[in-house]
Amino acid sequence: MSFKIASSPHHHNQRTTSSLMQWVALAALPGIAVQAVFFGYGVLVQLLLAICTAWLCEALILRLRQKAVLPRLLDHSALVTAVLLAIAIPPYAPWWLIVIGTAFAIVMVKQLYGGLGNNLFNPAMAAYVMLLISFPVQMTQWLPSVSLQPVALSPLDAFCMVFTEYSCSGFSLSQLQQGIDGSTQATPLDSLRQDLAAGMTLAESLQRPVFYSFAGAGWLWVNLAYLLGGLLLIQQKVISWRIPAAVLAGLAVPSLLFWLGSAGASPSPLFHLFSGATMLAAFFIATDPVSASTTDKGRLWYGALIGLLVYLIRSYGGYPDAFAFAVLLANMSVPLIDYYTRPRTYGHKAKRDLK
């Protein structure tokens, strides 16, 4: 009987890495379905491109490293990375964007550091930030919710948009970004930031068609769907409740304080919690078992740090949504967090009491 030393992720529930990754992918399906319904079939095209690129890059690098290809492909870690990146970028972004991003995530962020368990940063978020900095125009071309789009796009239109940047009827992405009222539709978070910076009140900004109830049109249901999937992951003990709870608390508490202090200029906590990538990031991205904190107390500090950073960047930074930057900054802090939150060594207290 041999003792095998392996790198993280380590779990105490006797589940294989493959099983854990499969659960993550399955739990994301409700959110992906709702996202496709509200923002178009381009989501599915991006998923297909990302998954194929991830598998191909993983296989090529493993072959170059003279590692067994099939067992590592079947751990489904490349699949999860591809899924998370594909649903984070605009659904109708050009095909080469997701290919470059996925290849960067697998080759540079994951395999360059030794493969699963050795990467310092979340591969999907590192690739997202790289794409956002390198191709800011393409990464911010989100269409409004389907109900606000002037033209309905079929699955074939989605395929054409991704590969040719035009629909089958000849509409460009910029034309489709024009809402029913003829004005360009940005994402809810971006619209709110621009309106407040222009001197509009919160109530005036929320009258825009891009908003629905207390969150953005479509985004409320997308976040609810990812929340459902995240609760399933907690129920199945695939992830710990600590990181998602701390992320949501770290975002809700400062937003509540500022909302109570200046309700006319600061959006409510519900707006922050159900807009953008909040639930997706809290349950599926921040909980990455490799790049997140590994101690119970550390997970709470790690999650709270992400939530606080998201609020600060959303409110005062140059980007409307901030989870990718917040997660990467928290990844950098993990060694320090783990060092100061590591549990007491067994027997240490008793030995001290004997002195």
Side-chain angles (χ1 to χ4, degrees):
M1 187 174 181
S2 60
F3 178 75
K4 181 180 179 181
I5 299 177
S7 61
S8 58
H10 303 296
H11 288 269
H12 300 289
N13 55 10
Q14 304 300 315
R15 285 182 174 174
T16 63
T17 300
S18 174
S19 174
L20 294 172
M21 296 298 174
Q22 283 180 329
W23 269 108
V24 173
L26 289 173
L29 289 179
I32 293 171
V34 174
Q35 195 169 332
V37 168
F38 280 96
F39 295 100
Y41 298 104
V43 175
L44 306 181
V45 179
Q46 301 290 351
L47 273 172
L48 181 61
L49 284 171
I51 292 171
C52 292
T53 303
W55 281 341
L56 179 61
C57 291
E58 185 102 324
L60 289 175
I61 296 299
L62 288 172
R63 181 61 61 89
L64 289 175
R65 295 179 58 204
Q66 298 182 346
K67 302 287 185 180
V69 174
L70 190 58
R72 286 169 173 81
L73 284 181
L74 293 179
D75 66 18
H76 302 302
S77 59
L79 170 69
V80 170
T81 296
V83 169
L84 294 179
L85 181 59
I87 58 183
I89 72 169
Y92 296 106
W95 65 271
W96 49 264
L97 194 74
I98 189 64
V99 171
I100 292 174
T102 307
F104 179 84
I106 298 299
V107 177
M108 303 300 294
V109 187
K110 180 184 177 185
Q111 291 295 338
L112 188 65
Y113 286 92
L116 179 65
N118 299 296
N119 47 285
L120 301 178
F121 301 102
N122 184 297
M125 291 301 95
Y128 182 92
V129 169
M130 183 276 294
L131 292 175
L132 185 60
I133 294 173
S134 303
F135 310 103
V137 175
Q138 290 79 5
M139 285 293 289
T140 54
Q141 288 183 329
W142 280 87
L143 288 180
S145 175
V146 170
S147 61
L148 299 177
Q149 294 177 20
V151 178
L153 297 178
S154 66
L156 183 58
D157 285 321
F159 185 85
C160 292
M161 285 293 300
V162 172
F163 284 95
T164 69
E165 300 185 25
Y166 289 90
S167 69
C168 297
S169 303
F171 290 99
S172 67
L173 191 61
S174 60
Q175 290 174 313
L176 294 174
Q177 281 183 303
Q178 300 296 320
I180 295 173
D181 59 356
S183 61
T184 301
Q185 299 290 321
T187 61
L189 285 169
D190 197 33
S191 294
L192 185 63
R193 290 178 75 257
Q194 293 174 4
D195 291 345
L196 294 178
M200 294 176 62
T201 66
L202 180 63
E204 291 173 338
S205 180
L206 293 178
Q207 297 302 314
R208 287 181 177 272
V210 74
F211 294 104
Y212 171 79
S213 184
F214 54 81
W219 292 102
L220 171 62
W221 300 107
V222 169
N223 275 278
L224 287 173
Y226 284 120
L227 172 61
L228 177 64
L231 294 176
L232 175 62
L233 292 180
I234 293 176
Q235 188 271 332
Q236 291 293 321
K237 298 183 179 180
V238 174
I239 62 174
S240 169
W241 60 269
R242 291 176 177 82
I243 291 178
V247 169
L248 299 180
L251 177 58
V253 170
S255 61
L256 175 62
L257 295 176
F258 278 89
W259 180 65
L260 292 175
S262 56
S266 298
S268 69
L270 288 177
F271 177 84
H272 279 286
L273 292 176
F274 292 97
S275 295
T278 301
M279 296 300 170
L280 170 65
F283 289 94
F284 293 88
I285 295 174
T287 54
D288 174 37
V290 178
S291 56
S293 179
T294 57
T295 67
D296 286 344
K297 290 182 181 179
R299 291 186 178 109
L300 294 174
W301 286 106
Y302 171 81
L305 175 62
I306 292 175
L308 178 60
L309 287 172
V310 168
Y311 179 78
L312 293 175
I313 298 174
R314 279 183 178 181
S315 302
Y316 307 105
Y319 295 93
D321 204 359
F323 267 102
F325 294 98
V327 168
L328 294 185
L329 289 171
N331 289 163
M332 296 180 189
S333 307
V334 163
L336 185 66
I337 294 173
D338 282 353
Y339 178 82
Y340 283 105
T341 60
R342 58 188 177 185
R344 187 182 299 275
T345 305
Y346 182 77
H348 177 79
K349 183 176 181 179
K351 186 178 294 186
R352 185 184 63 185
D353 292 343
L354 290 174
K355 291 182 180 180

